[in-house]
Each structure stands twice: as C-alpha cells, then as structure tokens.
Amino acid sequence: MNPFKKDILHSEESESNVISFIASDFIDGNTEIDENGLKETLPLLPLRNTIVFPGSTLPISVGRKKSLALIRALGKKQRYIGLVCQKDVAVEEPEAGDLYRLGVLAEVIRVIELADNNFSIIVQAKKRFEWLELTQTTPYLKATYALLEPVKASKEDKEYNAILDSIREAMVHMLQLLGDPPKELVQTILSDAFSDMLIGYCGTNLPIESREKQELLSIRDEKEQAYRLLMILNRESQILELKMNIQMKTREDLNQQQKEYFLQQQIRTIQEELGGNTQQIEIDEFRKRADKKKWGDLVAETFEKELLKLERLNPQSPDYSVQYGYLQTILELPWNEYSKDNFNLKHAQKLLDRDHFGMEKVKERIIEHLAVLKLKGDLKSPILCLYGPPGVGKTSLGKSIAEALNRKYVRVSLGGLHDEAEIRGHRRTYIGAIPGRIIQNIQKAGTSNPVFVLDEVDKIGNDFRGDPSSALLEVLDPEQNMAFHDNYLSIDYDLSKVLFIATANNLNSIPQPLLDRMELINVGGYITEEKIEIAHRHLVPKELLNHGIEKGMFNIPKPTLQRIIEHYTRESGVRELNKKIAKIMRRVARRIASEEPYPRSLKVQDLKEYLGIEEYARDRYQGNDYAGVVTGLAWTAVGGDILFVESSLSRGKGSKLTLTGNLGEVMKESAMLAMEYIHSHAEELKIDPELFENWNTHIHVPEGAIPKDGPSAGITMITSLASAYTQRKVRANLAMTGEITLRGKVLPVGGIREKILAAKRAGIKDVILCTENKKDIEEINANYLKGLTFHYVKDVREVLELALLPEKVANARDFSPAAR
C-alpha cells in the first residue's frame, strides 16, 4: 500500500475515496497528446488539496454539481480536462481568483458511476498548462490555455544523475522510517527505468502543503525541479527522524514505576468517585463479619494480626491478593457452628429403611450413635468404614444418614489421589496455594458437623509428592482430629463433630494404621430376593421418573425382575441391574413417544426383545459322576461364586504335580499342601504308596481366563485329590471352603456371606465350613439359609469322612500294581 496515501488522491471533495497504487501502477510515463482531441478551450476540474504531476495515472472522486456536469458532458471527442488545484479547500464554488493558474492537462481514461451523483474517474496526467481566461462558468468551468513544455535535462549530465540517485535514497529512507515498505515499491524506485517518472511520483506523493507542491510543479527546468525536490525530501526526512526520536525518548522515560503511579492515581480517583477507598471498605467489611463469628480467642487474635498485614499492603502488590484470599477462607469457615441433630429415632429408622433395603448392621450402628447423642448430648463422632463390593449402596448411604440426622452432606472422592497436599493443603508461600479438600468441603457445608463421605479410600496412591493415606491418619483419629492442622489455614480446626464415613471395596489395600482408626462395617452383596425388592421398591420407580413415564403406564413384575437378575447380570450390587432396567425404560419410552403398542407389564418371554439374548447362565451343581471333581466356594469382587476343582492321574515316573487354571501363588501353595497331606496319609486313605511313583497328578480349576488366588480352596483340593486316588464318589450337592495346614487343620476364611449366597443360587444343599466360621453364619438372616445344611469341621479327616462316600464311581480306574 502507498505510505503517503493521506495526501495522494484528494479530489475536489473535502473527503475522497482513496485508492493506493504501487509506483509501477501509479506512474506510466505516457505524456503523448492526441492533437485532434484538443480544442481552443479546456474544461477545468478544480481539486482540493491535490497537485498532480505529469505522467501520473490516478483515480479522482467527483461529487460537486459543476464537476458532475463536466463529467456528464464528456464525450468521445472531448476526453481532455484541466486539473487545477484551488487555493482554499473550504471554497465550495471556486471562481477564477480561487484557482492556481498552473495545472496539468489530463486524459479521462474511465468513468465509474458509484451511486447517484457520485462518480469516480481515472485520469492520466499529460502535460503542464496555464489557463489564460475563463470562457464559461456554468454549468462547469472552461478556459483558454497554453501548454508549457519542460526544459529537459541531459541524460549524460552527471550532476543531474547524482541528484536522481540522492532522491531515490532519500525516498526509500523515508519509506523505511514510516514502516516496512513493499519490496516491489522499493525495487521500482531504485530501478534506472523509473528515472523519467521519479520526480512526478515523488512530487505527487510527498506529504507537504499544496502551496509548496504547486511551486515545485511551476519549475519548468527538470534539473532545477529535481534539486528542489531533493531539498524537500531531506527536510521532511529530518523532521520525520526527529519525531521518531522524540517518541522513543518519551516512551523510554515513561518507565514501569511511572506507569504504576499513573494507574494508582487513576484508581484513587475512581475510588473517590465511587464513594471511598475500596481497600478500606473491604477491611471494614471483614471486621464486621469477624464480629459475628463464634471462634475462639486464638483464631480471633490470628485473624486480627493477618488483617493488619493486609492494611499495610499495597493493593497492587501480588501479596495483597494472597492475604485477601487467606482472610476470606478464615471468615467463610463455620467456626463452632453446628446444625441441630434430629433425635427422633423412629424418623431416622424410617428414612434409612425408605432409601435402602437391607443393610441392617449399618442402620443399627447409626441409630445407636443417634441414641447416645440424644442421651449424652456430646459425643465424638465415630469413623465408620463401609466396605463391600461395588454397587451395593455404600456411597448413597451417606446421603440417607445425613438426612436422618438433619446434617449437611459432603462427599470427596479419594480415588487416584497422590498428593498429600490434597488433604492437608498447600503452604501459603506457594503460588496458587489453596486449603486441602477437608477444609474446602467443611467450608462448602457451612457447618462443623456434616456427614462427610470419604469415597474410595482404598484407592489412594502415593508417590514423590507424599502419602495421602498417612495424612488421613490425623483426620480419621477421634483423639487427634479435634485439632486438625491444615497447611494453608495454619490454625487448628476441630473435626471431632464431623461424622466421617469411609467407603472401600478391598480392605487389603488400606494401610493397617488407617484401618485401626476406623470402625469396619461389612456391606455385603445382595441375594436375589433382596435385589428383587430393591428393584421393585427403588430402581423401577426411579427409572420411570427419569424417563418421563407416568406411574401406572408401565410395570416390571417380580418374576421378570428375577429373570433379569439371574440371566442378565452378575454382580453383588445392583448397578448393572439398574442399567438393564434403564435400557428397558428407554425402549418403552420410544414406543410411547411413537404411539406404538407396548406391554403395560413386561413378561419374562418379552425380555429377549428388550434386552437381547441372555448373557449369563446360573452356575449349577454338576453332579458327582466323576472322581476327583469337587465343588468349592469362592469370593470375587462382584460377590460369591462356585468353582470346580478337577484332579486326574496319568502314567509317569516321579510323581509330577501339574497345576493349571490361572492360579495365584497362594492357591498353588494350597495345592502342594493338599498333595503332601495325601502322601503322608496314604495308608489311612488306603492308597498304595507305590502309586505315587508311577502316576502323575494334574489339578485344574476351570475358567482359565479368570485369575484365581487365595487359601480358601485348600479343603476342596484335598477332597479332589483323595477322590481321584481312591475313585470314591463325592457326596451329591456338596460344596466346601476352608484353608488347610500341613498337619491337616482346617482354618477359617472370609467372604462367608457371599459364598453361602452363591451356594444357594447353584442348588447346593450341604456346605462344609471351619468351626470358627460358625459365627459368620449366625450373622446371616435365617431366611437366606433355608434349604442349606452346614457341617462344621476342625480337621481334614472330618472333611473327607463327610465328603467321600464308600462307593466308587462308575467305571472306576484301578491304580493297583496288578493293574499295571
């Protein structure tokens, strides 16, 4: 773009549409005139503040009445007009005395009609002329004229060529001062081919007054004109350099401190206009809020000391916002502010029963806590840890407890937490420091005795940033949390009235010191009957509401729910069941919205249409027709399950033991213990000792894609090996679980409730357990144990007596030496 566009193309109007050209387009050097097109008189077009030099091609906007009349009168024979600058740009209708005598004869190349009474013409300036006398003033100006021929300079004149080179350098230097000029423009100006057009281009584009440009146009001698142009260029360059230097100096003098002072003055002025000093208003507001707080003397003293610090700080200082945020945190914490507990035990029991089916031990513990609070009036809240498989309602139980106690409810998920500062907060010396999650959520709750759920406490990690589980030791210790120290707050905060409820899936991943501080409550999986009730009472009504289906329009009866539970889900909780019910609701909602027929009550035979083919088959007892196949009971993350331990013998030297089925180290050790027990008690079991030297043993646990581990299959493996070696039948509909020792003792195992429920689902009738597991059976609802007979043992001998029948299986193999 042309850097001198502000003075290039002013037309006869006060403001014009400016079109910029690079040098090669702006000057074409064609000054030839068609003599046939000239007449004795020449139409004059007055220009405002614009002097045109010969050789130029440029656009001009036309808008005044006389100028428009001139343009409209132009024809093919009359294409030449005189461009004359007026002395005073303010004159709207110039007369003879308002125009310079000297102008430029130009040919109109093109006329462009932009809008009504608005034209743009492109003209090519040819030669200088002097108008002599006006012959016409309306509808436009006409005058007699005389063409002026220039005095040409010799191309061999070294002085003239040197002046032209100086003009080029001065012009390029000036362009560079104004900005980054286009490379095309610079190359055109510096080329020798541009010499004839150089004076015209520079004269037309120089940002100087019209009077001085007119004087430059009046000089007929090219050499003298070039010399005068060089003087003007040097002067303008020096003025431009001086302006640039002044701007640089003033920019440097305005340093950062002056900027801050200037900004502070503006802020002070704004504050005065708004009615006072904002900083002082904020500090006064802090003091008013502090007067209403119920904190102790130590907190009040600390707050006042920190507030005085804030008063001394400059509001523009980075420390001001840090100090302001700290004081804001202290004020927003509910110091000694407690919500009033609702001591109506019947109401609490009703709420807990309404929201959760089962969970009797948890509900009983909450009611006990409420009862003690009612009698004593002050009790350090216990730390409860609800552990069990996913989807059984551990997290949602917190909301029900909060509502039953009339307390605020807050929850923080600890899954994947690695940074200790997330619990204790960051020290205020760090940029962006904030309190830990404990203080943040107490602040959000607005009371100092909320129900605080610490979700997924078993999934806390640790790395170079510290161990968050260790930081929780202080939080979850009733003897210490009355003075919990947050690094950001730096003031002890009382958490002793907070009812903390931790949830976990697996206790093995929780550090022992943390476990010791919590009261463990097992929230086991649900049996089919419980799931049916939960789905009927809670899940189906909830999903009807979520999917916009009115009550009474659709129902899922209990037999259908049972089929969904047994054949479309495999879990301890009800999360997957809820998804299946939601899937059914979506399909029903679509049919209702499409006004298509749908069943008001979903039958079992309709499930395939709504949920597809059945995903799971119930684990069923497979009978006792084979020697060495024994049913065991296992605990999994999704509840109890049955597994089959298979043993077989094959000819071979060295008594090799092979274990398959994706077994863990502990389970492999149980297999080796079982094998060793069979070896040492071969005589009691009537097994020929030579048998071990000539037969290899293979133990397999089916479903090899699923990892299996744990000691509870010990008695199952011993029974399987004994059956395989003796070919004796195993009692029908029998399952067992228990750990063994090398001397044959049976030890207790965990997960009894889930295992018993799995046995009942599979159609088992007799269960062998360690005597010490009897207490676990007594805690299970008697309704869930109907149809099961329990046999409690202390020694492996008792297991084998109960499990193995005297008769042998059909087609029993003979492993005696004679058979070999």
Side-chain angles (χ1 to χ4, degrees), residues 463-489:
D463 58 12
F464 63 94
R465 288 167 290 188
D467 184 2
S469 60
S470 299
L472 278 175
L473 294 177
E474 182 185 2
V475 177
L476 300 181
D477 190 340
E479 299 300 324
Q480 297 181 43
N481 64 11
M482 65 179 64
F484 172 67
H485 182 82
D486 185 276
N487 290 329
Y488 179 83
L489 197 61

Side-chain angles (χ1 to χ4, degrees), residues 108 239 519:
V108 178
I239 292 172
E519 185 176 337

Side-chain angles (χ1 to χ4, degrees), residues 334-474:
W335 302 90
N336 297 324
E337 296 177 20
Y338 305 103
S339 58
K340 188 177 181 182
D341 287 328
N342 182 357
F343 295 117
N344 188 331
L345 302 186
K346 290 182 179 178
H347 171 73
Q349 185 71 54
K350 184 178 177 181
L351 278 176
L352 293 172
D353 290 338
R354 181 198 70 186
D355 295 338
H356 291 82
F357 185 82
M359 295 188 180
E360 304 303 331
K361 286 175 64 178
V362 185
K363 296 174 184 176
E364 185 181 338
R365 182 65 187 83
I366 298 302
I367 298 299
E368 287 172 359
H369 174 69
L370 198 57
V372 176
L373 271 177
K374 183 177 182 179
L375 295 176
K376 189 170 184 282
D378 181 25
L379 175 69
K380 288 181 181 177
S381 291
I383 314 296
L384 305 179
C385 180
L386 310 178
Y387 70 95
V392 295
K394 300 184 297 296
T395 304
S396 61
L397 188 65
K399 279 187 179 179
S400 300
I401 294 172
E403 188 179 353
L405 296 175
N406 193 32
R407 291 191 181 188
K408 296 287 185 180
Y409 168 78
V410 288
R411 171 187 166 273
V412 58
S413 178
L414 302 178
L417 201 69
H418 286 271
D419 193 351
E420 179 195 348
E422 292 284 344
I423 304 297
R424 289 191 179 277
H426 301 80
R427 298 189 185 280
R428 277 184 291 152
T429 51
Y430 293 103
I431 295 173
I434 55 173
R437 292 198 188 185
I438 304 296
I439 294 298
Q440 283 183 47
N441 282 279
I442 293 291
Q443 184 177 324
K444 189 190 301 182
T447 65
S448 292
N449 64 335
V451 172
F452 201 122
V453 175
L454 298 167
D455 216 2
E456 311 291 357
V457 76
D458 57 325
K459 295 177 179 62
I460 297 177
N462 60 75
D463 58 12
F464 63 94
R465 288 167 290 188
D467 184 2
S469 60
S470 299
L472 278 175
L473 294 177
E474 182 185 2

Side-chain angles (χ1 to χ4, degrees), residues 23-221:
S24 58
D25 294 327
F26 197 82
I27 304 288
D28 62 11
N30 183 10
T31 58
E32 296 297 325
I33 298 175
D34 181 10
E35 299 291 344
N36 297 325
L38 291 177
K39 297 182 179 180
E40 293 181 358
T41 58
L42 186 69
L44 299 182
L45 181 64
L47 303 180
R48 279 182 173 141
N49 203 29
T50 300
I51 308 294
V52 182
F53 283 75
S56 303
T57 300
L58 71 163
I60 297 174
S61 294
V62 178
R64 287 187 283 190
K65 289 182 180 179
K66 287 187 177 182
S67 302
L68 289 170
L70 188 156
I71 298 303
R72 291 191 179 100
L74 290 176
K76 292 183 179 179
K77 294 181 179 180
Q78 179 64 49
R79 302 294 293 175
Y80 291 102
I81 60 174
L83 303 178
V84 185
C85 185
Q86 62 187 62
K87 298 173 183 177
D88 186 359
V89 295
V91 177
E92 189 66 26
E93 296 287 341
E95 297 178 354
D98 299 320
L99 302 174
Y100 287 112
R101 287 279 175 175
L102 197 69
V104 176
L105 180 73
E107 182 181 0
V108 178
I109 305 298
R110 189 175 179 188
V111 178
I112 304 169
E113 186 173 0
L114 302 175
D116 294 340
N117 297 325
N118 191 2
F119 287 84
S120 180
I121 61 172
I122 298 177
V123 298
Q124 190 177 62
K126 299 292 186 179
K127 288 187 178 180
R128 287 174 297 179
F129 78 95
E130 182 180 6
W131 63 270
L132 304 174
E133 184 181 353
L134 290 177
T135 60
Q136 178 182 309
T137 57
T138 56
Y140 55 86
L141 299 179
K142 260 189 181 183
T144 57
Y145 64 98
L147 295 176
L148 303 176
E149 294 293 337
V151 178
K152 293 283 186 179
S154 173
K155 291 185 179 180
E156 304 299 326
D157 189 340
K158 293 182 179 179
E159 184 179 0
Y160 177 66
N161 289 331
I163 293 172
L164 291 180
D165 289 341
S166 298
I167 290 173
R168 289 190 183 95
E169 292 174 3
M171 194 68 180
V172 171
H173 177 61
M174 199 167 179
L175 287 170
Q176 289 171 344
L177 286 174
L178 288 168
D180 188 17
K183 291 182 180 179
E184 288 183 353
L185 178 60
V186 175
Q187 290 171 359
T188 305
I189 292 172
L190 294 176
S191 65
D192 292 335
F194 194 63
S195 298
D196 294 339
M197 298 166 271
L198 183 63
I199 295 174
Y201 173 72
C202 295
T204 304
N205 288 283
L206 268 176
I208 56 177
E209 293 182 0
S210 299
R211 178 186 54 78
E212 195 168 11
K213 278 190 180 183
Q214 185 69 32
E215 291 175 2
L216 185 63
L217 181 65
S218 303
I219 301 173
R220 297 179 64 184
D221 189 302

